[in-house]
Amino acid sequence: MIKASVIGASGYTGGELYRLLLMHPQVQVQEITSERFAGEFATKIHPNLRSFSQQKFSSVKDMKRDSDVVFLCTPHEKAMDYVAEFMNSGMKIIDLSADFRLRNAQTYERYYTKHRHPELLSQAVLGIPELHHEEIRNAKLVGAAGCLSTSVILALAPLVKNGLIDTERIIADAKIGSAAAGASFDISTHHPERQGVVRSYKPTGHRHTAEIEQEMSLLAGRQVRVGLTPHAVEMVRGIMSTVHCWLPKQLADIDMWKAYRGFYRDSPFVRLVKEKGTLYRYPEPKMVVGTNFCDIGFELDPTMPRVVVMSAIDNLVKGSGGQAIQCMNLMFGLDEKEGLWRPGMHPI
Amino acid sequence: MIKASVIGASGYTGGELYRLLLMHPQVQVQEITSERFAGEFATKIHPNLRSFSQQKFSSVKDMKRDSDVVFLCTPHEKAMDYVAEFMNSGMKIIDLSADFRLRNAQTYERYYTKHRHPELLSQAVLGIPELHHEEIRNAKLVGAAGCLSTSVILALAPLVKNGLIDTERIIADAKIGSAAAGASFDISTHHPERQGVVRSYKPTGHRHTAEIEQEMSLLAGRQVRVGLTPHAVEMVRGIMSTVHCWLPKQLADIDMWKAYRGFYRDSPFVRLVKEKGTLYRYPEPKMVVGTNFCDIGFELDPTMPRVVVMSAIDNLVKGSGGQAIQCMNLMFGLDEKEGLWRPGMHPI
Amino acid sequence: MIKASVIGASGYTGGELYRLLLMHPQVQVQEITSERFAGEFATKIHPNLRSFSQQKFSSVKDMKRDSDVVFLCTPHEKAMDYVAEFMNSGMKIIDLSADFRLRNAQTYERYYTKHRHPELLSQAVLGIPELHHEEIRNAKLVGAAGCLSTSVILALAPLVKNGLIDTERIIADAKIGSAAAGASFDISTHHPERQGVVRSYKPTGHRHTAEIEQEMSLLAGRQVRVGLTPHAVEMVRGIMSTVHCWLPKQLADIDMWKAYRGFYRDSPFVRLVKEKGTLYRYPEPKMVVGTNFCDIGFELDPTMPRVVVMSAIDNLVKGSGGQAIQCMNLMFGLDEKEGLWRPGMHPI
Amino acid sequence: MIKASVIGASGYTGGELYRLLLMHPQVQVQEITSERFAGEFATKIHPNLRSFSQQKFSSVKDMKRDSDVVFLCTPHEKAMDYVAEFMNSGMKIIDLSADFRLRNAQTYERYYTKHRHPELLSQAVLGIPELHHEEIRNAKLVGAAGCLSTSVILALAPLVKNGLIDTERIIADAKIGSAAAGASFDISTHHPERQGVVRSYKPTGHRHTAEIEQEMSLLAGRQVRVGLTPHAVEMVRGIMSTVHCWLPKQLADIDMWKAYRGFYRDSPFVRLVKEKGTLYRYPEPKMVVGTNFCDIGFELDPTMPRVVVMSAIDNLVKGSGGQAIQCMNLMFGLDEKEGLWRPGMHPI
């Protein structure tokens, strides 16, 4: 059994990770921490876990350092200090904050703040198994990818890898549920204000742009630019990324299929969805709620050199907690699917 | 392995049951039928099952009769003929329609239609394990309870059993999600009309009243009357039943706790929810989405002899497919929880 | 033109009232205040008013006292001091807080806090024109009724007035939208937590019980008890009150019609809704969004001596700002409907 | 008073138009028709109009031809025959279907069907007053623009007119509410399937592309291409179009402001929304529900030559019924705003 601890388990990311760890047949959850709720039962904050958890939150300072793996679900800027502290503890580290996603300290600083442990950046692996399978298997420190980033990266990777699109003019128009805000609230998530919106809260310059451009540039072998525009829409869980790409030369469906099938041949959590004769012919976030799947589909525009790629994930699973466990599975030599192989619900 | 077949697997009830059976470690799904979609892959109708099902729907007429158990998810009035046909096939039968829930053919006729096989009614057991545990273990034919009925019956049973309430003046004010309508649509479920409603579509005389009154009368040893008033509200899955009861003599919390704890001592899927100092102090349908739990809580009114009992279920799980599997587990000597022991999600 | 000012215009109640006053052909809005947003344009907080308002919020302390009418949209406990201060200013006062709804200072204290100006209670009239038409016409101080209270009072009044129901055993099971929380937020209105709930946040002892019981007792000529149980449901605007009453003697539809038609003969904003052959056969909050209507319908239970009365309002209009203007119209000798006679939208 | 009739008044477009006409101070509604509901009261289908309409639907064949203006709210392909029939009746015609939006019969045929009255196309004016103000004033036949088209056209027009963007690579990623489906239903609008979706039902080749390209090409003086990708999202009313444009040369905010302010100087229903220090800094559909406004905002991308233009409308008002009345106002020499000058609601 893998002994796992979760730092910052009272938020949505930490809570969902905790739930998935509790269900994982090879994991025993050692400790869960929350500075704010230390001493309280986890079920007080995550009532869904009634009958499944009798644990209380503890404080990090009281935490034993004897887990096999520690998950960090703290806000970015805080996580980096914990990572530095735990780096030589023998525990593997999976950081779900933004602190170890970017390879370049300058880029990190531009989007976040000055990095206090830039020397550790080179030891971190970005936690997207579909792109960094082998590195994750051998990693001591994984920086789990962001939710928007994961959905856009998985949509784009096969196209960029195969040089099929204009890498100067990529538009990623994303639609995201309110769980992305985390458990802390303000007027923007107040129900009367948030219900039913389509709100482009950050039409340019969103932080996740950095991760997407980093990964795409790595695949392309040159600088790639992505215009990311997320919209808050009416759902709790879920991201739909609609990625519009311009094609230097016209493609046929078969070219697209080849690129995607080839790239994701060994990726059980990517499902290609492009079906005829049904309402569900493209990916939709509803279909993946509660699951670790990233559904990807596409449509070539017959009237212009454009392809529309659609990608759907549950931001709390494939976009954070589930993907972190997928990484853990690899780091401990387990089947990638262990503890995560569940279908979604219909309807939901 | 239990060999199971599902008749009418293209609807919401059948689809959810099929999903749960696919995840059940002791079950092998033999056949799934749909007259309308015979020959089509199940994933065309239930796209959530992509990567989990490669089966096609067949027609009942082509179905082999060699399963250990057959689930009927057809509309009521149709199910009774299948039951009659299968009764001597050696297969155990779990009917999710209304056809074998009522003991009395006259009552059935009043709420539905003339029963064509009244002789079988006495062989059927109502599929609520919390009330009929032993009978279900020995049953050949189970009539799985309705969704509204399940939530109201479980809310009321301990009070009626212990003679704590006025059984002439029970009000069950229920709130129900749109999945209850099933997969067939009309103007009432057209999204612009259904979104955001609070609609009391059947304020008196709802069919599920019959089941509730039957079960409560059995427990009370005399005729009990229940005024059931369901409301369509904005959710897909879920029922919240708020049951208002008048008390012949004032009670204290401890009396209530005793009644509920005693009655549900051996019922893993009933959780008593009444907590202080948290937002989640009473049952809520959101907490049980995708699970087989029935969460029950209550509040005594300090200013009048009234108790408010709240009960929350997922109508597609505890209200149909999940409860049917819970019955199946008992009928085959398995642990009641097998294949169903999963927590809900937070947030969702 | 009536010169009107709104104290506390940055909240939802104040904002909606302000919107309606801006559209009122006989009103000129003099001043709008907000301590928190003094100096800011109203449109910064109420962006719906872009192109309609160029006013800024001021602070109460800078407010001139020369309006014809002042509306108080401050929290209760604060309002009473303003009322005391303005009582001899010559301005008519319409208080939308709870401070002048109850006739009895002890009752107020039980549900809220100690009243600092009990001597003014007898001068106040409860602002429900359907019940206090003439008193409002002559009032200097109106305490506009609460939103839940308004919907339940209007549902019950004709039955209580005509002695048709058991006044010891009334159940008002209400469903309410999130706008009722006002513009201030906490975890309970955080979108991921609030979206899709059916949450009985206060199953017994809700404050609005006091207003309902006061008004019903007045009509009955003896103490009436009402068990009010509100539920937060998924909508922004709207209240649906389902009132379950027991009948001392069985009634026919015609008796009900007579009671309601008689009572509301001169009440343009009460619509009786009980129609056959349509989806919309009973009241629904969706139909009254943005309007000052209270739609009321009923169904007699053929199997027990029960009547279910349904009543739907928009809590921000008939439940607060609109009803306040309806009162103002009466106080200034205008047609009750002035500035308020608009239909709802379909669909919405 | 203008005498107006509505053909096809039982659908959502016709119903909303009818509601707005009933509220219009200069209009008297003569007749409303519905083949399916002829003989029924309008309020049976549009219950929001209780107390406002006592009219019944009639059949077109029984309609008198003595209105001043007739609105066609029938499906496309049907409308063209009515137009041909009414063209010489002396009544002005506003067709809300797609039949008279396109100037080119071939284009119409490509997206719809063979046009049976191509000779009338040159007499029709596209009903977007912000672009065709003078032509509409003199028009006998107006083809009111589509809802998606209106929102995208208004977002793009100033940029195309001023030659600020690359007209070969325009992406319009739209999000649309369920009312767009109209009153007829199928599985795609069944609530359990439609609730909470983000569904790209037509990622390429949507019919409204034709109108947008026609109008933009007119403004540009050369062929413009637009990649329109609409998504069904969770709302009833509303469209948010996020238009991503590439810039041949970098622009500053001031250039954008000049283009938009100049173009919409005399357009009261276009509001430019780009505000700092508030949650509502860009357009949002919620803010315009029930109104005839088109709110437009933009953001220049500092890291690439891209501008994101956001445009929000209510598809049933500015996207159909309201805009039709705006056209009628011009055709009859009234102020454009007559009967339409209402703010939205906050919150809603």
Side-chain angles (χ1 to χ4, degrees):
Chain A
M1 294 292 272
I2 302 165
K3 288 182 291 180
S5 291
V6 180
I7 295 182
S10 63
Y12 290 160
T13 295
E16 181 69 354
L17 175 66
Y18 179 44
R19 177 180 80 89
L20 292 168
L21 289 172
L22 284 174
M23 292 295 102
H24 195 294
Q26 305 293 329
V27 170
Q28 186 189 324
V29 181
Q30 201 87 334
E31 291 183 276
I32 52 172
T33 83
S34 164
E35 298 313 304
R36 186 164 166 213
F37 297 105
E40 302 271 19
F41 281 107
T43 52
K44 188 165 178 179
I45 305 303
H46 303 303
N48 57 317
L49 298 180
R50 286 164 181 151
S51 296
F52 293 87
S53 162
Q54 282 74 41
Q55 282 177 301
K56 288 181 175 177
F57 296 115
S58 59
S59 169
V60 173
K61 65 178 193 307
D62 301 327
M63 202 181 90
K64 295 190 213 74
R65 307 291 153 96
D66 62 351
S67 295
D68 298 311
V69 58
V70 61
F71 293 88
L72 298 177
C73 300
T74 60
H76 60 84
E77 304 184 30
K78 263 198 181 174
M80 61 176 86
D81 293 332
Y82 287 125
V83 167
E85 188 185 336
F86 296 152
M87 220 30 207
N88 297 312
S89 67
M91 300 189 291
K92 298 187 196 236
I93 306 172
I94 300 177
D95 175 20
L96 286 85
S97 88
D99 286 355
F100 292 92
R101 294 174 187 165
L102 301 177
R103 294 290 72 78
N104 185 302
Q106 278 74 47
T107 310
Y108 182 85
E109 187 168 348
R110 176 143 54 91
Y111 282 98
Y112 299 91
T113 185
K114 193 167 173 57
H115 205 294
R116 287 189 296 275
H117 299 283
E119 74 284 0
L120 296 176
L121 290 177
S122 62
Q123 301 184 46
V125 175
L126 185 73
I128 302 190
E130 288 75 13
L131 272 77
H132 300 289
H133 199 266
E134 290 312 298
E135 296 157 271
I136 293 169
R137 282 169 55 92
N138 302 307
K140 205 166 131 183
L141 169 59
V142 164
C147 54
L148 281 168
S149 334
T150 295
S151 77
V152 177
I153 287 170
L154 293 176
L156 279 172
L159 301 182
V160 170
K161 176 73 180 176
N162 289 282
L164 300 179
I165 58 172
D166 176 348
T167 55
E168 303 279 312
R169 285 189 172 81
I170 298 168
I171 301 290
D173 190 294
K175 296 87 183 164
I176 189 165
S178 63
S184 58
F185 44 84
D186 60 22
I187 183 72
S188 77
T189 62
H190 186 40
H191 185 274
E193 303 290 340
R194 179 65 175 75
Q195 196 274 344
V197 294
V198 183
R199 178 177 291 153
S200 179
Y201 56 99
K202 187 76 183 157
T204 67
H206 190 281
R207 285 166 164 183
H208 286 193
T209 308
E211 288 168 58
I212 302 169
E213 291 188 347
Q214 166 183 288
E215 295 300 304
M216 292 306 102
S217 300
L218 272 171
L219 281 176
R222 66 174 181 284
Q223 181 63 49
V224 174
R225 286 282 171 226
V226 175
L228 174 63
T229 301
H231 301 73
V233 298
E234 177 61 18
M235 58 183 171
V236 173
R237 287 174 176 237
I239 293 177
M240 170 78 165
S241 289
T242 313
V243 187
H244 305 268
C245 305
W246 298 102
L247 305 173
K249 54 168 198 168
Q250 196 54 297
L251 299 176
D253 270 17
I254 183 75
D255 305 310
M256 294 291 295
W257 279 117
K258 270 187 193 165
Y260 280 92
R261 286 217 177 103
F263 199 95
Y264 293 121
R265 178 171 299 118
D266 302 317
S267 298
F269 288 112
V270 172
R271 296 187 298 198
L272 302 180
V273 174
K274 183 170 160 57
E275 210 167 320
K276 284 198 162 54
T278 161
L279 176 58
Y280 321 104
R281 44 194 189 277
Y282 303 114
E284 295 186 21
K286 268 180 73 137
M287 292 306 151
V288 296
V289 166
T291 80
N292 199 50
F293 290 101
C294 178
D295 283 1
I296 298 179
F298 64 87
E299 198 63 53
L300 289 162
D301 192 326
T303 69
M304 57 176 74
R306 176 176 73 124
V307 67
V308 182
V309 183
M310 292 150 278
S311 137
I313 62 168
D314 180 330
N315 38 352
L316 292 184
V317 188
K318 185 60 178 169
S320 59
Q323 184 153 262
I325 290 177
Q326 193 184 349
C327 291
M328 181 201 76
N329 284 341
L330 293 178
M331 292 162 89
F332 288 86
L334 301 179
D335 183 322
E336 210 168 335
K337 304 198 295 293
E338 196 75 88
L340 295 170
W341 196 247
R342 301 277 305 178
M345 286 179 257
H346 176 238
I348 189 167
Chain B
M1 296 293 272
I2 302 164
K3 289 182 288 179
S5 291
V6 181
I7 296 183
S10 63
Y12 289 160
T13 294
E16 182 69 354
L17 175 67
Y18 179 43
R19 179 181 79 90
L20 292 167
L21 289 172
L22 285 173
M23 292 296 102
H24 195 295
Q26 304 293 329
V27 170
Q28 187 189 321
V29 181
Q30 201 87 334
E31 292 183 275
I32 51 173
T33 82
S34 164
E35 299 314 304
R36 187 166 164 211
F37 298 105
E40 302 271 17
F41 281 107
T43 52
K44 187 163 181 182
I45 304 302
H46 303 303
N48 57 317
L49 298 180
R50 285 164 181 153
S51 296
F52 293 86
S53 162
Q54 280 75 40
Q55 282 177 300
K56 289 182 174 176
F57 297 114
S58 59
S59 169
V60 173
K61 65 179 194 307
D62 302 327
M63 201 181 90
K64 294 190 213 75
R65 307 291 153 96
D66 61 352
S67 294
D68 299 311
V69 58
V70 62
F71 293 89
L72 298 177
C73 299
T74 58
H76 61 83
E77 305 186 28
K78 264 200 179 173
M80 61 175 88
D81 292 331
Y82 287 125
V83 167
E85 185 185 339
F86 296 151
M87 223 24 209
N88 297 314
S89 68
M91 301 189 287
K92 297 186 197 234
I93 306 171
I94 301 177
D95 174 20
L96 286 85
S97 87
D99 287 355
F100 291 92
R101 295 174 187 166
L102 300 176
R103 292 292 72 77
N104 186 304
Q106 279 74 49
T107 311
Y108 182 86
E109 187 167 349
R110 175 144 53 91
Y111 283 98
Y112 299 91
T113 186
K114 193 167 173 56
H115 205 295
R116 287 189 295 274
H117 299 283
E119 74 284 0
L120 296 176
L121 290 177
S122 63
Q123 300 183 47
V125 176
L126 186 72
I128 302 191
E130 289 75 13
L131 271 77
H132 300 288
H133 199 267
E134 290 313 297
E135 295 155 270
I136 294 169
R137 281 169 56 90
N138 301 309
K140 207 166 131 184
L141 169 60
V142 165
C147 54
L148 282 167
S149 335
T150 296
S151 77
V152 176
I153 287 170
L154 293 176
L156 278 172
L159 300 181
V160 170
K161 175 74 180 177
N162 289 281
L164 300 179
I165 58 171
D166 176 349
T167 54
E168 303 280 310
R169 285 188 172 79
I170 298 169
I171 301 290
D173 189 294
K175 295 87 184 166
I176 189 164
S178 62
S184 58
F185 43 85
D186 60 23
I187 183 70
S188 77
T189 63
H190 185 41
H191 185 273
E193 303 290 339
R194 180 63 175 74
Q195 196 274 343
V197 294
V198 183
R199 176 178 293 154
S200 178
Y201 55 99
K202 186 74 183 161
T204 67
H206 189 280
R207 286 168 164 182
H208 286 193
T209 307
E211 288 168 59
I212 302 169
E213 291 188 348
Q214 166 184 289
E215 295 299 304
M216 292 307 102
S217 299
L218 273 171
L219 282 175
R222 66 172 179 286
Q223 180 64 48
V224 175
R225 286 281 171 228
V226 175
L228 173 63
T229 302
H231 301 73
V233 299
E234 176 60 20
M235 55 184 174
V236 173
R237 287 174 175 237
I239 293 176
M240 169 79 163
S241 289
T242 312
V243 187
H244 305 269
C245 305
W246 298 101
L247 306 173
K249 55 168 196 169
Q250 196 52 295
L251 299 176
D253 270 17
I254 183 73
D255 305 311
M256 295 291 295
W257 280 116
K258 270 187 193 165
Y260 280 93
R261 284 215 178 106
F263 199 95
Y264 293 122
R265 180 172 297 119
D266 301 316
S267 297
F269 287 112
V270 173
R271 297 188 297 198
L272 302 179
V273 173
K274 183 171 161 56
E275 210 168 320
K276 284 198 161 52
T278 162
L279 176 59
Y280 321 103
R281 44 194 189 279
Y282 303 115
E284 296 185 18
K286 268 180 74 136
M287 292 305 151
V288 297
V289 167
T291 81
N292 198 50
F293 290 102
C294 177
D295 283 1
I296 299 180
F298 64 86
E299 198 63 53
L300 289 162
D301 192 326
T303 70
M304 59 176 71
R306 175 177 73 126
V307 67
V308 182
V309 183
M310 292 150 277
S311 139
I313 62 168
D314 180 331
N315 38 351
L316 291 184
V317 188
K318 184 62 177 166
S320 59
Q323 185 154 261
I325 291 177
Q326 192 184 349
C327 291
M328 178 201 78
N329 285 340
L330 293 177
M331 292 162 90
F332 287 87
L334 302 179
D335 183 324
E336 210 169 333
K337 305 199 295 292
E338 197 74 89
L340 295 170
W341 197 246
R342 300 277 305 178
M345 287 179 256
H346 175 239
I348 188 165
Chain C
M1 295 293 271
I2 302 165
K3 287 182 289 178
S5 290
V6 181
I7 295 183
S10 64
Y12 289 160
T13 295
E16 181 70 354
L17 175 66
Y18 179 42
R19 178 180 80 90
L20 292 167
L21 289 171
L22 285 174
M23 291 296 101
H24 195 295
Q26 304 294 328
V27 169
Q28 185 189 325
V29 181
Q30 201 87 336
E31 291 184 275
I32 52 173
T33 83
S34 164
E35 298 313 304
R36 187 166 164 211
F37 298 105
E40 303 270 19
F41 282 107
T43 51
K44 188 164 179 180
I45 304 303
H46 303 303
N48 57 318
L49 299 180
R50 285 164 181 152
S51 296
F52 292 87
S53 161
Q54 281 74 40
Q55 282 178 300
K56 288 182 174 177
F57 296 115
S58 60
S59 169
V60 172
K61 66 178 192 308
D62 301 327
M63 201 180 92
K64 293 190 215 75
R65 307 292 154 95
D66 61 351
S67 295
D68 299 311
V69 59
V70 61
F71 293 89
L72 297 177
C73 300
T74 59
H76 60 83
E77 305 185 29
K78 262 199 181 172
M80 61 175 84
D81 293 332
Y82 287 124
V83 167
E85 187 186 337
F86 296 151
M87 219 32 206
N88 298 311
S89 68
M91 301 188 290
K92 298 187 196 232
I93 306 172
I94 300 176
D95 174 21
L96 286 86
S97 87
D99 287 356
F100 292 92
R101 294 174 188 166
L102 301 176
R103 293 292 72 79
N104 186 303
Q106 279 74 49
T107 310
Y108 182 86
E109 187 168 348
R110 174 144 54 91
Y111 282 98
Y112 300 90
T113 185
K114 193 167 173 56
H115 205 294
R116 287 189 296 274
H117 299 285
E119 75 283 1
L120 296 176
L121 291 177
S122 62
Q123 300 183 46
V125 176
L126 185 72
I128 302 191
E130 289 75 13
L131 272 78
H132 300 287
H133 199 267
E134 289 312 296
E135 297 155 271
I136 293 168
R137 282 169 55 91
N138 301 307
K140 207 167 130 183
L141 169 59
V142 164
C147 54
L148 282 168
S149 333
T150 296
S151 76
V152 177
I153 287 169
L154 293 176
L156 278 172
L159 301 182
V160 170
K161 177 73 179 177
N162 289 282
L164 300 178
I165 57 171
D166 176 349
T167 55
E168 302 278 312
R169 285 190 172 80
I170 298 169
I171 300 291
D173 189 295
K175 296 86 183 166
I176 189 164
S178 63
S184 58
F185 43 84
D186 60 23
I187 183 72
S188 76
T189 62
H190 186 41
H191 185 274
E193 303 289 340
R194 180 64 176 76
Q195 195 275 342
V197 294
V198 183
R199 177 179 292 153
S200 178
Y201 56 99
K202 187 74 184 159
T204 67
H206 190 282
R207 286 167 163 183
H208 286 192
T209 308
E211 288 168 60
I212 302 169
E213 292 189 346
Q214 165 184 290
E215 295 300 303
M216 292 307 102
S217 300
L218 273 171
L219 281 176
R222 66 174 180 283
Q223 181 63 48
V224 174
R225 287 282 172 226
V226 175
L228 174 63
T229 301
H231 301 73
V233 299
E234 177 62 17
M235 58 183 170
V236 173
R237 288 174 175 237
I239 293 178
M240 170 77 165
S241 289
T242 313
V243 187
H244 305 269
C245 306
W246 298 101
L247 305 173
K249 53 169 199 169
Q250 197 53 296
L251 299 176
D253 270 17
I254 183 74
D255 305 311
M256 294 291 294
W257 279 117
K258 270 187 193 166
Y260 280 93
R261 284 215 176 107
F263 199 95
Y264 293 121
R265 177 171 301 119
D266 302 317
S267 297
F269 288 112
V270 173
R271 297 187 296 199
L272 302 179
V273 173
K274 183 171 161 58
E275 210 167 320
K276 285 199 161 55
T278 160
L279 176 59
Y280 321 104
R281 44 194 190 277
Y282 302 115
E284 296 186 18
K286 269 180 73 137
M287 292 306 149
V288 296
V289 167
T291 81
N292 198 51
F293 289 101
C294 178
D295 282 1
I296 299 179
F298 63 86
E299 198 63 53
L300 289 162
D301 191 326
T303 69
M304 56 175 74
R306 177 176 72 124
V307 68
V308 182
V309 184
M310 293 151 277
S311 138
I313 62 168
D314 180 330
N315 39 352
L316 292 184
V317 188
K318 185 61 178 169
S320 60
Q323 184 154 259
I325 290 177
Q326 194 184 349
C327 291
M328 181 201 76
N329 285 340
L330 293 178
M331 293 162 89
F332 286 87
L334 302 178
D335 183 322
E336 211 169 332
K337 303 198 296 292
E338 196 74 89
L340 295 170
W341 197 247
R342 300 277 304 179
M345 287 178 256
H346 175 238
I348 188 167
Chain D
M1 295 293 272
I2 301 164
K3 289 183 288 177
S5 290
V6 181
I7 296 183
S10 64
Y12 290 160
T13 294
E16 182 69 354
L17 175 66
Y18 179 43
R19 179 181 78 91
L20 293 167
L21 289 172
L22 285 174
M23 293 294 102
H24 195 295
Q26 305 294 331
V27 169
Q28 187 189 322
V29 181
Q30 201 87 335
E31 291 183 275
I32 50 174
T33 83
S34 165
E35 299 313 305
R36 185 162 165 214
F37 298 105
E40 302 270 17
F41 282 106
T43 52
K44 186 163 180 184
I45 304 303
H46 303 303
N48 57 318
L49 298 180
R50 285 164 181 152
S51 296
F52 292 87
S53 162
Q54 280 74 41
Q55 281 176 302
K56 289 181 175 177
F57 297 115
S58 59
S59 169
V60 174
K61 65 179 193 310
D62 301 327
M63 202 181 89
K64 294 190 211 75
R65 307 290 153 96
D66 62 350
S67 295
D68 299 309
V69 59
V70 62
F71 293 89
L72 299 177
C73 300
T74 58
H76 60 84
E77 306 185 28
K78 263 198 179 173
M80 61 176 87
D81 293 332
Y82 287 124
V83 168
E85 185 184 339
F86 296 151
M87 220 30 206
N88 298 314
S89 67
M91 301 188 289
K92 297 186 197 235
I93 306 171
I94 300 177
D95 174 21
L96 286 85
S97 87
D99 286 355
F100 292 91
R101 295 175 187 166
L102 300 177
R103 294 290 72 79
N104 185 305
Q106 279 73 48
T107 310
Y108 182 85
E109 187 168 347
R110 174 142 55 90
Y111 282 98
Y112 299 91
T113 186
K114 193 166 173 56
H115 206 295
R116 287 189 295 275
H117 299 283
E119 75 285 1
L120 296 176
L121 291 178
S122 61
Q123 301 184 49
V125 175
L126 185 73
I128 302 190
E130 289 75 13
L131 272 78
H132 300 289
H133 199 267
E134 291 312 297
E135 295 156 271
I136 293 168
R137 281 168 55 91
N138 301 309
K140 206 167 133 184
L141 169 60
V142 165
C147 54
L148 282 168
S149 334
T150 296
S151 78
V152 176
I153 286 169
L154 293 176
L156 278 172
L159 301 182
V160 169
K161 175 74 180 175
N162 288 282
L164 299 179
I165 57 171
D166 177 349
T167 53
E168 303 279 310
R169 285 190 173 80
I170 298 169
I171 301 291
D173 189 294
K175 295 87 183 164
I176 189 164
S178 62
S184 57
F185 44 84
D186 60 24
I187 184 70
S188 77
T189 63
H190 186 42
H191 185 274
E193 303 290 338
R194 180 64 176 74
Q195 195 274 344
V197 294
V198 183
R199 177 177 294 153
S200 178
Y201 55 100
K202 187 74 183 160
T204 67
H206 190 282
R207 287 168 164 184
H208 286 193
T209 308
E211 289 168 60
I212 303 169
E213 291 188 349
Q214 165 184 290
E215 293 300 303
M216 291 307 102
S217 299
L218 273 171
L219 281 176
R222 66 173 181 285
Q223 180 64 48
V224 175
R225 287 279 171 228
V226 176
L228 173 63
T229 300
H231 301 74
V233 299
E234 177 60 19
M235 55 184 174
V236 173
R237 287 175 177 237
I239 293 176
M240 170 78 164
S241 289
T242 312
V243 187
H244 305 269
C245 305
W246 299 100
L247 306 173
K249 55 168 197 169
Q250 196 53 296
L251 299 176
D253 269 18
I254 183 73
D255 304 312
M256 295 290 294
W257 280 116
K258 270 188 195 164
Y260 280 93
R261 286 216 176 104
F263 198 95
Y264 293 121
R265 180 172 299 120
D266 301 317
S267 297
F269 288 113
V270 173
R271 297 187 297 198
L272 302 179
V273 173
K274 183 171 161 56
E275 210 167 321
K276 284 198 160 54
T278 162
L279 176 59
Y280 321 104
R281 44 194 189 278
Y282 303 115
E284 296 186 19
K286 267 180 76 136
M287 292 306 150
V288 297
V289 167
T291 80
N292 199 50
F293 290 100
C294 178
D295 283 1
I296 299 180
F298 63 86
E299 199 63 53
L300 289 161
D301 191 326
T303 69
M304 58 176 71
R306 175 176 72 126
V307 67
V308 183
V309 183
M310 292 151 278
S311 139
I313 63 168
D314 179 331
N315 38 354
L316 292 184
V317 188
K318 185 61 178 166
S320 59
Q323 185 154 261
I325 290 177
Q326 194 183 349
C327 292
M328 178 201 77
N329 285 340
L330 293 178
M331 293 163 89
F332 286 86
L334 301 179
D335 183 323
E336 211 169 333
K337 304 199 294 294
E338 196 74 270
L340 295 170
W341 196 246
R342 300 277 306 178
M345 286 178 257
H346 175 237
I348 189 166

